[in-house]
Short mmCIF file of all heavy atoms in Angstrom, two decimals:
data_model
loop_
_atom_site.label_atom_id
_atom_site.label_comp_id
_atom_site.label_asym_id
_atom_site.label_seq_id
_atom_site.Cartn_x
_atom_site.Cartn_y
_atom_site.Cartn_z
N LYS A 326 39.41 78.99 -73.53
CA LYS A 326 38.46 79.38 -72.49
C LYS A 326 37.18 78.54 -72.57
O LYS A 326 36.65 78.11 -71.56
CB LYS A 326 38.17 80.83 -72.52
CG LYS A 326 39.32 81.75 -72.20
CD LYS A 326 38.88 83.19 -72.18
CE LYS A 326 40.08 84.11 -71.79
NZ LYS A 326 39.66 85.49 -71.81
N GLU A 327 36.73 78.31 -73.78
CA GLU A 327 35.50 77.56 -73.99
C GLU A 327 35.67 76.11 -73.53
O GLU A 327 34.82 75.51 -72.95
CB GLU A 327 35.04 77.60 -75.43
CG GLU A 327 34.48 78.96 -75.87
CD GLU A 327 33.23 79.33 -75.11
OE1 GLU A 327 32.41 78.41 -74.86
OE2 GLU A 327 33.08 80.51 -74.74
N GLU A 328 36.81 75.52 -73.86
CA GLU A 328 37.10 74.17 -73.46
C GLU A 328 37.16 74.05 -71.95
O GLU A 328 36.66 73.08 -71.37
CB GLU A 328 38.45 73.69 -74.10
CG GLU A 328 38.34 73.51 -75.60
CD GLU A 328 39.72 73.11 -76.17
OE1 GLU A 328 40.63 72.91 -75.38
OE2 GLU A 328 39.82 73.05 -77.39
N ALA A 329 37.81 75.01 -71.29
CA ALA A 329 37.89 75.02 -69.84
C ALA A 329 36.49 75.14 -69.24
O ALA A 329 36.18 74.42 -68.26
CB ALA A 329 38.78 76.12 -69.35
N LYS A 330 35.67 75.95 -69.83
CA LYS A 330 34.32 76.16 -69.32
C LYS A 330 33.55 74.87 -69.45
O LYS A 330 32.74 74.47 -68.57
CB LYS A 330 33.63 77.32 -70.01
CG LYS A 330 32.24 77.59 -69.53
CD LYS A 330 31.63 78.77 -70.32
CE LYS A 330 30.23 79.05 -69.81
NZ LYS A 330 29.59 80.16 -70.56
N GLY A 331 33.68 74.22 -70.67
CA GLY A 331 32.97 73.00 -70.90
C GLY A 331 33.36 71.87 -69.91
O GLY A 331 32.51 71.13 -69.44
N LYS A 332 34.64 71.82 -69.62
CA LYS A 332 35.12 70.79 -68.64
C LYS A 332 34.53 71.11 -67.29
O LYS A 332 34.16 70.17 -66.54
CB LYS A 332 36.64 70.82 -68.61
CG LYS A 332 37.22 69.74 -67.72
CD LYS A 332 38.73 69.73 -67.78
CE LYS A 332 39.31 68.61 -66.87
NZ LYS A 332 40.79 68.66 -66.91
N GLU A 333 34.47 72.36 -66.92
CA GLU A 333 33.95 72.75 -65.60
C GLU A 333 32.48 72.35 -65.49
O GLU A 333 31.99 71.83 -64.49
CB GLU A 333 34.12 74.24 -65.39
CG GLU A 333 33.63 74.75 -64.05
CD GLU A 333 33.85 76.24 -63.88
OE1 GLU A 333 34.72 76.78 -64.57
OE2 GLU A 333 33.04 76.85 -63.14
N GLU A 334 31.70 72.60 -66.59
CA GLU A 334 30.29 72.27 -66.56
C GLU A 334 30.09 70.74 -66.53
O GLU A 334 29.18 70.25 -65.86
CB GLU A 334 29.63 72.83 -67.83
CG GLU A 334 29.50 74.35 -67.81
CD GLU A 334 28.95 74.87 -69.11
OE1 GLU A 334 28.87 74.09 -70.10
OE2 GLU A 334 28.63 76.08 -69.16
N GLU A 335 30.98 69.99 -67.20
CA GLU A 335 30.85 68.54 -67.19
C GLU A 335 31.12 67.99 -65.76
O GLU A 335 30.42 67.11 -65.30
CB GLU A 335 31.89 67.96 -68.15
CG GLU A 335 31.76 66.41 -68.31
CD GLU A 335 32.71 65.89 -69.34
OE1 GLU A 335 32.41 66.05 -70.52
OE2 GLU A 335 33.74 65.35 -68.93
N GLU A 336 32.15 68.56 -65.10
CA GLU A 336 32.45 68.15 -63.73
C GLU A 336 31.27 68.47 -62.77
O GLU A 336 30.94 67.74 -61.88
CB GLU A 336 33.72 68.81 -63.24
CG GLU A 336 34.97 68.26 -63.93
CD GLU A 336 36.21 69.02 -63.49
OE1 GLU A 336 36.09 70.05 -62.78
OE2 GLU A 336 37.32 68.59 -63.85
#
Side-chain angles (χ1 to χ4, degrees):
K326 291 184 179 180
E327 288 297 322
E328 289 177 6
K330 182 179 179 182
K332 185 176 181 180
E333 181 179 334
E334 290 175 348
E335 185 176 283
E336 289 176 352

